[in-house]
Amino acid sequence: ALLVGVVPADALVGSGVLPGDDGWDPLDLSTKDYFKQVQSFILSLVPERKYRIGDDEVPEQEPEAGAAMPTVGFVGEEERPPALILRDYREAEIRHGRLAMLAAVIWPLQEIADRIFIPESFGSMTIIYGGPTLPVAPLLMTFFMLNLGYLDIYSSEIKENESGDAFLPGECFWDPLAIMEGAPDSMKRNMQEREILNGRASMIAVAAYIFEEGMTHKPVISLAANDLLFEPFFLVPFVQAWLDTQFGSVSYIDPGI
């Protein structure tokens, strides 16, 4: 990826090279390859696959006792450029952001559907603690996650057979509406920044949903603090009070008089 310029070698936190870079990394996590180390550790727990040795295959030679081995990260791992480490972290951020954007919309839709179709049990059910509900959120999230999983398999095949390591963070090689086809680089960067910023805001929103329902045991759409988000503007109590003070004394005059 560095050689073909997909991920610039100077793409570090604070460089402004990658979209959505605010230059904030107080713990300097972007230079620590925990992602690859954890991945390698998990793979090391999987039993090694045994292959039959054919006539034209040469068995892999075992390393000699006392032979020097790389010591960076886990055994057998080579140190990677910081730009590729940051690329993997950005990939994980984009994936989590996409799921969070779906959850931030589907979560309140679930509770709105419950309030409309099963009002007798509304208020006793929350996403966190469960209760009588319609299967809106489980079915929609399952549908989207299955499709995202298929998209991951599709993009991983392209990465393995064609692009290799030369891919942008979050790249799925899938644009059925051809939105980005022929778009200038500035437009592509703006779209990437908007996706990242919306994903970050959605992750914060989902965390707020979890905190609110966990502390109050009530649906998020029924909390007074969220009226502006989930209720028509003219039905919010303090907005109604303000409208009454402004227009409550206005009387209707029949134009025919």
Side-chain angles (χ1 to χ4, degrees):
L2 296 178
L3 294 178
V4 298
V6 175
V7 180
D10 56 349
L12 304 177
V13 171
S15 64
V17 174
L18 290 179
D21 181 10
D22 295 325
W24 192 73
D25 184 18
L27 300 180
D28 199 28
L29 296 177
S30 61
T31 61
K32 299 176 175 63
D33 202 358
Y34 295 135
F35 186 92
K36 192 68 174 180
Q37 291 178 6
V38 171
Q39 185 183 54
S40 301
F41 176 72
I42 295 175
L43 290 176
S44 69
L45 300 177
V46 179
E48 183 178 358
R49 184 178 298 176
K50 302 296 183 181
Y51 295 95
R52 289 185 58 186
I53 301 175
D55 297 335
D56 55 346
E57 296 179 355
V58 179
E60 185 178 354
Q61 298 295 326
E62 293 290 336
E64 298 180 1
M69 296 289 291
T71 57
V72 177
F74 282 72
V75 174
E77 286 293 318
E78 298 180 357
E79 185 175 5
R80 298 194 304 158
L84 292 185
I85 298 174
L86 180 61
R87 194 270 313 271
D88 287 345
Y89 282 124
R90 174 55 61 82
E91 174 91 5
E93 179 186 22
I94 292 175
R95 289 171 180 266
H96 282 83
R98 288 169 179 169
L99 286 176
M101 285 188 281
L102 292 172
V105 174
I106 294 175
W107 188 316
L109 282 180
Q110 168 76 69
E111 297 178 349
I112 292 172
D114 289 343
R115 184 170 60 182
I116 295 174
F117 296 105
I118 48 174
E120 64 278 359
S121 64
F122 177 73
S124 62
M125 175 272 172
T126 64
I127 301 293
I128 298 297
Y129 295 106
T133 182
L134 297 173
V136 177
L139 291 178
L140 284 178
M141 286 303 294
T142 301
F143 171 78
F144 284 120
M145 292 185 72
L146 286 174
N147 280 275
L148 288 173
Y150 170 77
L151 197 57
D152 276 345
I153 296 174
Y154 170 76
S155 61
S156 64
E157 288 293 325
I158 295 179
K159 292 173 185 176
E160 181 178 353
N161 299 324
E162 298 180 19
S163 67
D165 205 32
F167 64 91
L168 287 172
E171 178 64 80
C172 295
F173 306 96
W174 188 69
D175 185 13
L177 301 179
I179 295 175
M180 302 306 295
E181 185 176 348
D185 292 340
S186 59
M187 180 180 175
K188 293 179 180 178
R189 183 180 179 88
N190 287 336
M191 293 288 285
Q192 292 167 355
E193 287 184 346
R194 290 166 185 166
E195 180 185 28
I196 292 170
L197 294 178
N198 281 284
R200 290 171 180 172
S202 299
M203 287 187 279
I204 295 173
V206 172
Y209 292 168
I210 295 172
F211 176 78
E212 288 178 333
E213 287 202 355
M215 296 299 293
T216 65
H217 294 248
K218 295 180 180 179
V220 293
I221 66 170
S222 66
L223 300 178
N226 296 333
D227 282 345
L228 287 175
L229 297 175
F230 305 118
E231 296 290 346
F233 192 67
F234 60 88
L235 292 181
V236 177
F238 74 85
V239 176
Q240 287 182 334
W242 180 82
L243 291 174
D244 289 340
T245 60
Q246 297 296 316
F247 308 104
S249 60
V250 177
S251 59
Y252 173 73
I253 301 176
D254 190 349
I257 298 177

